[in-house]
Amino acid sequence: MNKPPQLTSEQRAEALRRASASRKARSLLKAQVKSGELGVGQVLAIAATDPVIGKMRVVELLESLPGVGKIRAANLMRRISISPTRRIQGLGVHQIAKLGAEFTLSQPQFSRGRLLVLSGPGGVGKSTVATQLRERNHFWVSVSATTRPARATENNGVDYFFLSNEEFDRRIAQDDFLEWAQFAGNRYGTPRRAVEEAMAQGHDVLLEIEIEGARQVRQHSKEAILVFLMPPSWEDLVGRLAARGSDSQERRAQRLELAQREMAVAPEFDHVIVNDSVERVVQALVALAR
Ligand code: 5GP
C-alpha cells in the first residue's frame, strides 16, 4: 500500500476544511433532491461541471429521490448494472440513458442553459451590454463577488456581493468560485453554485468578467461560449477611459497599458464582437446562445 502523503498541519487543516465544505454542498443538494426541487437530470447537469457533486455516489442521489428508499435504489442499481460504489461522474452513456428511462430525466438535462462569457478590455462597455441583457431577460446574469469597495451607486447583492478579503479567502478555500481573478488591486469571482443551478434550470447564463477569469472558464468547460468585446478603434477605447471621471491621471495611464495587453488576447476567444452599437452586440449575443 502507498504511504499516506506527509502533510504539514496547515495542509491537513486545509484538507479538512475542503472535506467539510464538500460534505455541506452534497447534503444541501440531497435536500433539494428530496424536496423535489432538483431532479435526476438537473443533478447530472450540475455534476458535469461541479467536481464535488461529480464525486457523489450514484446510490446517494437515488436514495435522496422522493419515494426511492434504500431498497428500491439498490434494486435499481443492480438492474441498470451500476456498481454500488460508482460515482456520478463515472456513469457511462448507457447507464445515463437507463436512468433517464427510469426517471424521465425531466427537461433540464436536455435543455440545459448555455454559459456565455463576455470579456474584453476594461472600458469597452461590457457592463452596459450585460445590464441590457439582464433587463430584457435574455440571460440570467451572474452577480460576482468582489473585494473592491462599493461605489456610491452600487448595491450589495445586485451589482456585486461585496466581501472582505478574509471572506473572499474563505470562499476560495471552499471552492465556491467557478473562476476568480485579481484585477486592478482587487479580487473578483463568480459564485459557482448559483450559475450551475441557473443553467440546470435551463437559463442561459452570462458572465461579464475580465480576461484571466475567462481563461479559467475555458479550462473547465469546453462548452462555454467565449466572446471578446472589441472597441471599434483604439482611439474609441482611449476616449471611453478618459471619460471615466473617477480615475486619476496615473490610474488612467495604468488602465490604458492594461487594455493594450488585454486587446492582444482576442484570438483566444471563440467570437470577437465589435462594440459599435450596444443593440447590435445584444442581438449578436442572443443569437450565439441560440
Ligand atoms: P469593476 O471594478 O469596474 O466593476 O470591474 C473590473 C473588472 O472586473 C471588469 O473587467 C469586470 O468585467 C471584471 N469582473 C467583474 N466580475 C468578475 C468576476 O466575477 N470574475 C472576473 N474574473 N472578473 C470580473
Side-chain angles (χ1 to χ4, degrees):
M1 207 171 96
N2 289 340
K3 269 194 182 164
Q6 295 292 311
L7 299 179
T8 63
S9 60
E10 280 107 60
Q11 285 169 326
R12 258 195 312 274
E14 175 56 24
L16 284 174
R17 244 196 320 273
R18 273 178 178 272
S20 150
S22 302
R23 268 198 305 276
K24 261 193 220 145
R26 286 188 199 130
S27 62
L28 176 66
L29 180 121
K30 282 194 268 181
Q32 288 173 300
V33 171
K34 205 162 249 148
S35 70
E37 199 181 318
L38 291 178
V40 174
Q42 284 154 305
V43 175
L44 294 182
I46 293 173
T49 50
D50 183 344
V52 169
I53 303 304
K55 286 195 190 106
M56 192 168 113
R57 288 180 204 277
V58 179
V59 69
E60 286 183 79
L61 163 62
L62 297 187
E63 286 176 1
S64 310
L65 286 163
V68 181
K70 277 189 187 308
I71 295 176
R72 193 174 158 211
N75 285 341
L76 188 64
M77 303 262 294
R78 218 171 298 120
R79 190 146 42 83
I80 305 182
S81 308
I82 301 177
S83 100
T85 54
R86 172 68 67 220
R87 294 175 194 277
I88 298 178
Q89 64 187 18
L91 281 171
V93 279
H94 296 301
Q95 292 169 324
I96 290 178
K98 284 183 188 161
L99 275 176
E102 201 73 35
F103 294 105
T104 333
L105 285 183
S106 60
Q107 284 289 75
Q109 226 258 326
F110 302 105
S111 63
R112 183 172 150 79
R114 313 200 65 171
L115 181 60
L116 206 136
V117 177
L118 181 64
S119 198
V124 72
K126 301 186 289 278
S127 60
T128 310
V129 171
T131 304
Q132 283 295 317
L133 290 166
R134 178 192 280 139
E135 282 176 0
R136 297 194 211 170
N137 262 336
H138 286 316
F139 282 85
W140 184 93
V141 180
S142 165
V143 178
S144 299
T146 182
T147 57
R148 157 166 90 55
R151 295 179 184 136
T153 53
E154 290 177 329
N155 291 310
N156 193 25
V158 177
D159 299 284
Y160 281 105
F161 294 103
F162 296 98
L163 306 182
S164 65
N165 264 308
E166 295 69 34
E167 181 58 18
F168 204 94
D169 285 341
R170 208 175 60 76
R171 305 271 175 111
I172 294 173
Q174 286 182 182
D175 204 18
D176 279 357
F177 293 130
L178 190 67
E179 61 71 39
W180 70 269
Q182 180 104 21
F183 183 89
N186 294 301
R187 288 182 291 172
Y188 298 81
T190 303
R192 180 198 295 284
R193 189 147 188 116
V195 167
E196 276 160 3
E197 285 184 5
M199 287 171 71
Q201 285 162 13
H203 299 293
D204 293 324
V205 169
L206 182 91
L207 309 184
E208 181 253 291
I209 61 179
E210 54 69 67
I211 282 153
E212 202 42 55
R215 283 181 168 145
Q216 289 173 36
V217 175
R218 169 83 314 149
Q219 277 169 9
H220 302 313
S221 163
K222 289 189 193 71
E223 289 132 39
I225 307 169
L226 264 61
V227 177
F228 189 94
L229 196 59
M230 182 76 99
S233 66
W234 175 247
E235 290 69 30
D236 181 88
L237 187 66
V238 175
R240 280 166 187 261
L241 287 173
R244 287 198 169 176
S246 55
D247 283 353
S248 66
Q249 192 75 20
E250 189 193 349
R251 180 119 175 84
R252 234 173 271 159
Q254 282 170 352
R255 274 186 173 270
L256 271 180
E257 196 196 318
L258 176 63
Q260 216 159 8
R261 274 183 275 132
E262 288 176 323
M263 296 274 279
V265 306
E268 289 178 28
F269 285 67
D270 299 320
H271 302 274
V272 175
I273 299 181
V274 176
N275 188 12
D276 47 10
S277 127
V278 173
E279 189 54 40
R280 209 183 61 79
V281 176
V282 165
Q283 296 306 332
L285 293 175
V286 171
L288 278 180
R290 263 185 223 140

